[in-house]
Amino acid sequence: MNPERAGDVFVVVAPRGATDAADRLFLAIAASWVLGLDPRSVRIARFCPHCGGQDHGRPLVAVSPGGRSGSSTARLAAAGSPPACGPLHVSLSRAGGSVALALTLIGPVGVDIESVDATSRGGFDEVAFGPAEHAALAETASEDAAGVRARLWTAKEAALKCTGDGLRVDPRDLTVSLPGGGCGGSPRLHAWRGARVPVDAIRLHGFAPGPGLVGTVAVLAEGTPAAGTLSADGPTVRVVPAADIRRQPSRRA
């Protein structure tokens, strides 16, 4: 059992792999690290809830028979709290030369990282934001606007990933706010027109993935034991150095 105290959500940011398969292999190794399993027993599958396809869609952790061990919840059981249970939920996002992973037992998770420059291109606001967010951006100091815009957008993307909707949903149907004028605190999802789940069950937390990038994690905690324990500021996020994951024993792709 790993003696380190674990947060609610693990986030790993690393250089982007040369291929999609390389990033998914890294996600599988990270999942084995969290679960305390032999990396050779864990792989990342895919499933699309809309068409049933297995060559695209949400990443899923698949564990080979016999791969589980008594330490499988060790890294996600905080001191003084009940042992974690249930499947490990994962998400992956890429931006520029970076890849971000999110892993948790709380419930479905979504992670999104974006380049501040990418969300500042012309016409972006018109397809990404609703009236309340346009008003917030109009009141934001010009030197802060690019960062606020990226934080609003990653919050929407992360929320849509954690529910499995993705950009099949018009992002303007979601309304996100940023405490402190966008300069501090985690984003909050205030409304979602046509949402299939309770809006207050989706909790968001921002993190810093690296220079020029903005990141947000979203967790759907509806109906889970952890739902009542999450604060208004979202899940506790623990950023794990990529080197800790890469020290896992090697495995063939």
Side-chain angles (χ1 to χ4, degrees):
M1 178 173 181
N2 192 302
E4 296 175 320
R5 290 187 60 182
D8 292 331
V9 181
F10 285 101
V11 168
V12 186
V13 181
R16 187 171 179 170
T19 63
D20 175 66
D23 286 337
R24 285 188 286 115
L25 175 60
F26 184 46
L27 178 56
I29 295 171
S32 71
W33 184 91
V34 171
L35 292 169
L37 301 178
D38 185 329
R40 293 169 295 184
S41 70
V42 179
R43 66 181 179 87
I44 300 300
R46 286 174 168 177
F47 177 73
C48 175
H50 302 280
C51 72
Q54 297 183 15
D55 60 347
H56 63 285
R58 182 195 294 275
L60 302 172
V61 177
V63 178
S64 301
R68 298 191 178 279
S69 72
S71 63
S72 62
T73 62
R75 297 180 188 272
L76 282 146
S81 63
C85 60
L88 179 68
H89 301 272
V90 298
S91 184
L92 180 152
S93 179
R94 304 177 182 91
S98 297
V99 61
L101 317 176
L103 310 95
T104 185
L105 291 177
I106 295 174
V109 64
V111 65
D112 190 59
I113 58 172
E114 296 287 352
S115 160
V116 172
D117 290 341
T119 56
S120 298
R121 63 183 183 271
F124 184 85
D125 292 4
E126 285 67 33
V127 299
F129 303 128
E133 294 144 346
H134 281 290
L137 286 167
E139 296 174 359
T140 301
S142 58
E143 63 270 22
D144 297 328
V148 168
R149 180 179 292 106
R151 292 185 68 201
L152 289 170
W153 176 248
T154 59
K156 293 190 178 200
E157 280 260 54
L160 290 168
K161 282 185 176 183
C162 88
T163 62
D165 289 291
L167 290 179
R168 293 178 182 83
V169 169
D170 188 334
R172 293 171 294 188
D173 288 345
L174 284 69
T175 301
V176 173
S177 69
L178 299 175
C183 298
S186 287
R188 295 182 183 177
L189 181 61
H190 279 285
W192 180 344
R193 187 167 58 246
R196 299 180 294 106
V197 299
V199 169
D200 60 3
I202 301 174
R203 303 296 180 86
L204 306 170
H205 193 102
F207 66 96
L213 299 174
V214 170
T216 303
V217 167
V219 173
L220 176 60
E222 181 186 23
T224 69
T229 67
L230 297 181
S231 72
D233 288 332
T236 300
V237 171
R238 179 180 174 197
V239 179
V240 179
D244 287 2
I245 305 301
R246 297 195 189 280
R247 279 197 287 267
Q248 286 282 77
S250 61
R251 53 172 275 186
R252 292 192 298 271

